[in-house]
Amino acid sequence: MSTSDQKRELDGLDAKLLLELIEQPDATTVALAQRLSVSRNTVQARLQKLGQGTLESFQRRVSPRTMGYDVEAFMNASIRQGYDRETMKALAEIPEVLQIFATTGDADLRLTVTARSTDDLYRVNRLILDIPGIVRTSTSVVLREFLSYRTKPLLERIIE
Amino acid sequence: MSTSDQKRELDGLDAKLLLELIEQPDATTVALAQRLSVSRNTVQARLQKLGQGTLESFQRRVSPRTMGYDVEAFMNASIRQGYDRETMKALAEIPEVLQIFATTGDADLRLTVTARSTDDLYRVNRLILDIPGIVRTSTSVVLREFLSYRTKPLLERIIE
DNA sequence: AATTATTTGAACATAATGCTTCATTCACAT
DNA sequence: ATGTGAATGAAGCATTATGTTCAAATAATT
């Protein structure tokens, strides 16, 4: 039982593998193997393990912007106690709601929301406010993305 | 010149393709072709276009949690005027800073930050506060992720 | 030192890929 | 309606990758 634990932390090879894939997402197994100077079998085994649970969904690579949703916003929302489950369900039924977090701090929920325009964002905001259990919202619109999501430095730190 | 514009919006086929890839990220080109009842050439062409600019980096699929960074937090930070460029550069040099947005609202910046633990988060917070130009920060730690990033509903909306 | 886990290399049949060509269909502007 | 350019489908071919298995070598743990 102690053999293959569920959640093993990434080692150097895993990190190198992921870094390569960041550079060349469509790199073939053999290409990765020779670039990292390991056998094809090893790469194959590692990739399989990475695929099983450690890698996030492909969805992460899809940007709403591609679909014409040019506005991104963060929203704080307070919910009435006891309405949690149903409120969450209603929120999840709105396609423009991309993420829902519960966080510490004043507001109960933190949403990532997208919209086609600022006008459209207003519409989405109303949709959310109409959900029973939602008390109030405060929105901040993304003006600019100075640094887009990256984990590369963390991966590089693993190697050395 | 009007032939192939840079940013074309996704059509139904693109959306279907992406939805398939969400279900089976390692699906082969031919498998996708027969599942969508289009020719292999078409899938190949579409995937190539998607790879050129519309798809976000593979980095998005890498979760800090995989690397032992179990804490995720959002941080609002105010910056002193005129320090923008250098401050941003200093922030980007901290591996635990995953994202930087400029947003409307009280705070100037909104950061996504990760850390190994809450103690570690405190350390990262100090790193950020020590950056010249950063005036103050307010942090909210993610307690739970009710809905993890998804664009599937938006994609499905394109189809019908 | 002993045991277990991981890696390696090799082989094989099967399948996918990249690329090209070409006819056809489609969308759109004239 | 008509012409133009782009997107698609179909087919073929040489090359390359894949999945799989296995025994031996190496590394890591106890």
Side-chain angles (χ1 to χ4, degrees), chain A residues 3 13 38-42 46 49:
Chain A
T3 306
L13 185 54
V38 291
S39 89
R40 181 165 75 92
N41 274 349
T42 304
R46 294 305 186 100
K49 280 189 184 174

Side-chain angles (χ1 to χ4, degrees), chain B residues 17-76:
Chain B
L17 219 37
L18 290 174
L19 285 169
E20 279 299 325
L21 284 174
I22 288 173
E23 300 305 323
Q24 302 184 357
D26 298 324
T28 136
T29 310
V30 289
L32 292 169
Q34 57 188 43
R35 187 173 289 273
L36 300 185
S37 308
V38 291
S39 89
R40 183 164 73 92
N41 272 351
T42 305
V43 174
Q44 225 162 354
R46 295 304 185 103
L47 285 184
Q48 194 179 348
K49 279 190 184 173
L50 288 174
Q52 294 170 359
T54 67
L55 277 183
E56 297 289 331
S57 162
F58 185 88
Q59 261 177 109
R60 299 247 173 190
R61 297 193 57 192
V62 180
S63 164
R65 218 155 299 241
T66 314
M67 296 178 259
Y69 294 83
D70 289 327
V71 176
E72 186 175 0
F74 302 117
M75 202 175 278
N76 287 324

